[in-house]
Amino acid sequence: MLISIDGPAGSGKSTAAKLLAKRLSAESPSLFEYLDTGSMYRSIALLGFYRDVDWQSPDAPQKLTELAASAQIDIKAGKTYLDGKDVTTLVRMPQVTQKTYLAADNPEIRHLMVKRQREIAEQIQKAGRGIVTEGRDQGTAVFPDAFCKFYLNASPEERAKRRCREQ
């Protein structure tokens, strides 16, 4: 079973998805997994820092696309792995957060990440587990056939508060 949660940044998608996956797995800890799609885009931004991308260069989007095409990103048991290294904490650093939009808003990178998200979901489901996924376009473009779809929203004030707490 695949459950998707969509909504704008700061609306509580990640919190809701983590809690839902945990609640659905209350009887069996490995019954449902949480897919943090945002961490995948954050991983590309982190890789940009590792590879000294010149963020001001007009070539930065193409360089990030090349990095994304060669990167191995995995999400396992709530952790994010970039080329085999656990980067779960590193992708939440403020400087990575500030540059993530360059990956998330890049259509070529989005195409690569959507493909990877589908692969991860397929692996999880083949293993007999469910998945709770959250992020941009999860219930529309990425997993249009999701069993259950949610859209969360929050006032601009609440979204700003959530972002400030997160940072």
Side-chain angles (χ1 to χ4, degrees):
M1 176 187 309
L2 193 144
I3 299 169
S4 70
I5 301 177
D6 283 300
S11 62
K13 295 182 305 290
S14 297
T15 301
K18 287 177 196 174
L19 290 171
L20 181 58
K22 184 177 180 179
R23 180 99 183 241
L24 291 171
S25 293
E27 296 297 316
S28 174
S30 61
L31 189 58
F32 272 81
E33 289 197 33
Y34 161 61
L35 177 59
D36 179 2
T37 64
S39 71
M40 298 174 78
Y41 295 98
R42 289 170 174 272
S43 294
I44 301 305
L46 178 64
L47 193 54
F49 281 103
Y50 285 165
R51 300 292 196 276
D52 295 320
V53 166
D54 177 359
W55 301 103
Q56 304 305 315
S57 167
D59 296 335
Q62 182 56 38
K63 180 66 175 165
L64 286 176
T65 300
E66 292 167 10
L67 292 173
S70 65
Q72 180 58 45
I73 298 173
D74 285 308
I75 310 287
K76 295 179 184 172
K79 294 190 179 281
T80 304
Y81 296 88
L82 174 61
D83 297 329
K85 180 182 177 188
D86 181 353
V87 295
T88 306
T89 303
L90 295 173
V91 297
R92 301 288 177 200
M93 295 187 309
Q95 61 268 39
V96 173
T97 298
Q98 290 173 349
K99 299 300 181 189
T100 297
Y101 77 93
L102 293 168
D105 292 348
N106 181 318
E108 292 175 72
I109 293 174
R110 289 195 68 73
H111 175 76
L112 292 167
M113 293 301 104
V114 165
K115 181 180 179 206
R116 184 65 187 131
Q117 290 161 19
R118 289 176 177 158
E119 291 169 354
I120 291 169
E122 184 177 341
Q123 291 168 356
I124 291 169
Q125 290 179 312
K126 279 186 179 178
R129 296 186 310 274
I131 184 168
V132 179
T133 181
E134 59 83 15
R136 190 188 302 180
D137 302 330
Q138 290 297 292
T140 54
V142 184
F143 300 110
D145 296 328
F147 176 77
C148 190
K149 302 177 189 185
F150 294 96
Y151 185 87
L152 298 183
N153 205 350
S155 70
E157 295 80 14
E158 183 59 30
R159 292 173 55 208
K161 285 180 195 176
R162 292 180 62 80
R163 279 293 177 215
C164 285
R165 282 193 306 264
E166 182 181 284
Q167 310 254 340

